Amino acid sequence: MFKKFIIASFIVLIPACVLSFIIGGVLNIFLGQRQNGYYNQEYVDSSYYDDEAKRWTVSDTTRAYDFSIGARENLTFQLSGVNAIIMSSYGDEIYVSVKNENADRDAEVVLTTEGNTSTIEVHPTNITFNPMSGGGLVSWLEDMFGSSPKCSVWIVVPQQIYQTLTVQQGSGNVTISNVNARVNRIDIGAGNFDMVRDLRNKALSIDVNLGSGKAVLKNSNTENYTFNIGSGEFEARALSGIGNVNIGSGSVTLSYSDFRGIFLEKGSGTLNMLIPPLTSSRVIAELGSGKIDVATDSANLTYTESGEYIFGDESTVNFIRVTNGSGNIYVKNNSGDDFVDVPLIPDGLKDSAESSETEYSSSFSAYSSNSSDSSDAAIQGEEIQSDPDDSSGVFGNVSDIA
């Protein structure tokens, strides 16, 4: 009897161990590994280390620390567990201000300039971005069980057209205002992401990978786009170009300023397509149990089975090619004008300014003066000292913001 018990245990445990090993390997590839915030066996507290990148650990919760890095034609941001605001303004360098108000979680700051790429990395010290996964899905599972983000990150980059803008976000909140690039790559795990581009600068491509977070893109005028949405919530306004869209169970709204064509694969999620008035299109659909509702100024049709439908001009080259599961697709008209003005001060910054102390505005005032003294202080990770009553600078007067 005991022998049979041992044999049965091995029959059950061996496949379970093998399965656990496989799962662990997969998770390691996609989620990365935890790393401690220790260097050379000593704990770092806002100190400068001369290794492959400039690294600091910010544990002081009483003040903001300011840094700068040279600007290159490619920008990469790796952010998790923080409230980050990124905007463009005058100046020759990238300016970073970090204030960590969470006494239980230290923030790691890594600034790297390699070739034609500048990388800014801010996140809790236990988070590691795994380049094999693209970044966004690496850390959010670790970070989502932590406390709400209490680390404020403000970043100002020179105002120019960058070749590439890469954002890898785990959790937290990221707002980007008027940072424009030809190629845009955005990878989000579970965070909240908001970006507004300058309407005058049409992108070559915008690619978004979204897990379970929420992302809103404004002034999404581009030649091509690719959106991969899991279970999150996604919205692109003033969208143009030809795109590929894959949706799992998420909710997606695409509002077009100029509709040309879309290749769509969708599971059980919901898609709202808002196209300009008098838009013509050819609809080719392979449907499961879902449906397509077309209710525009050119057509009013409910699609319930596979087939093709043309609304508007029959000679149109615009197209909607759909492979759909059980979710619904709604095609309606928008106003044809859902562009927004690029704010000089992002909405998120206004909220932060109301509750922050004057060191942020003072620091940005020192940055805007572009003096060599402030730049030298910043690159060493020291707090830039300014007149505490001086609240002018890039963002204007703090009282005006509030």
Side-chain angles (χ1 to χ4, degrees), residues 333-396:
N333 284 130
N334 58 19
S335 63
D337 182 17
D338 57 355
F339 298 104
V340 298
D341 293 330
V342 177
L344 295 179
I345 303 172
D347 293 337
L349 181 58
K350 295 179 181 179
D351 298 335
S352 299
E354 292 176 353
S355 58
S356 66
E357 301 176 3
T358 58
E359 69 259 35
Y360 280 120
S361 56
S362 300
S363 298
F364 277 102
S365 179
Y367 166 76
S368 64
S369 67
N370 201 23
S371 65
S372 59
D373 293 340
S374 63
S375 297
D376 292 341
I379 199 64
Q380 293 298 326
E382 299 174 359
E383 184 180 23
I384 296 179
Q385 301 294 335
S386 305
D387 182 357
D389 294 329
D390 179 14
S391 57
S392 61
V394 176
F395 304 130

Side-chain angles (χ1 to χ4, degrees), residues 121-363:
E121 184 176 345
V122 186
H123 51 73
T125 54
N126 66 312
I127 298 301
T128 301
F129 281 85
N130 187 341
M132 293 184 64
S133 71
L137 296 180
V138 177
S139 58
W140 71 271
L141 281 179
E142 287 184 339
D143 204 25
M144 68 182 293
F145 297 108
S147 57
S148 299
K150 296 181 182 178
C151 183
S152 299
V153 180
W154 292 1
I155 303 172
V156 175
V157 303
Q159 192 170 54
Q160 65 186 51
I161 304 300
Y162 295 91
Q163 289 300 312
T164 64
L165 170 64
T166 302
V167 181
Q168 299 174 345
Q169 179 187 356
S171 66
N173 306 292
V174 175
T175 299
I176 300 180
S177 178
N178 199 22
V179 179
N180 303 285
R182 290 177 53 79
V183 176
N184 301 265
R185 305 186 183 103
I186 301 166
D187 190 354
I188 306 168
N192 294 318
F193 180 86
D194 187 283
M195 182 171 77
V196 55
R197 304 181 70 259
D198 189 334
L199 176 62
R200 297 167 295 179
N201 298 311
K202 189 172 186 177
L204 177 63
S205 63
I206 300 177
D207 298 334
V208 178
N209 292 298
L210 175 66
S212 61
K214 178 179 180 180
V216 178
L217 307 183
K218 303 166 187 173
N219 294 350
S220 307
N221 44 331
T222 181
E223 293 290 340
N224 302 280
Y225 58 91
T226 300
F227 301 146
N228 294 305
I229 312 301
S231 59
E233 182 177 348
F234 178 75
E235 181 177 357
R237 303 175 188 171
L239 182 62
S240 63
I242 296 178
N244 289 274
V245 178
N246 297 285
I247 306 172
S249 59
S251 176
V252 176
T253 298
L254 305 178
S255 185
Y256 289 87
S257 60
D258 179 21
F259 178 77
R260 294 166 59 188
I262 179 174
F263 296 90
L264 173 67
E265 292 188 8
K266 191 173 69 65
S268 59
T270 299
L271 172 63
N272 294 291
M273 292 184 60
L274 307 177
I275 59 178
L278 304 178
T279 297
S280 300
S281 182
R282 183 183 302 269
V283 181
I284 305 171
E286 296 179 6
L287 303 179
S289 59
K291 66 178 182 178
I292 300 178
D293 281 345
V294 180
T296 69
D297 53 4
S298 301
N300 190 340
L301 175 73
T302 299
Y303 238 98
T304 57
E305 60 184 7
S306 300
E308 179 177 331
Y309 180 75
I310 299 174
F311 59 90
D313 186 356
E314 292 187 0
S315 63
T316 182
V317 296
N318 298 331
F319 61 89
I320 302 174
R321 297 180 182 270
V322 180
T323 301
N324 188 55
S326 59
N328 296 331
I329 300 171
Y330 302 95
V331 183
K332 302 178 182 179
N333 284 130
N334 58 19
S335 63
D337 182 17
D338 57 355
F339 298 104
V340 298
D341 293 330
V342 177
L344 295 179
I345 303 172
D347 293 337
L349 181 58
K350 295 179 181 179
D351 298 335
S352 299
E354 292 176 353
S355 58
S356 66
E357 301 176 3
T358 58
E359 69 259 35
Y360 280 120
S361 56
S362 300
S363 298

Side-chain angles (χ1 to χ4, degrees), residues 75-96:
L75 291 178
T76 296
F77 298 100
Q78 296 179 327
L79 306 166
S80 188
V82 299
N83 293 319
I85 295 171
I86 305 170
M87 63 184 298
S88 66
S89 187
Y90 48 87
D92 299 326
E93 293 184 313
I94 300 171
Y95 176 83
V96 183

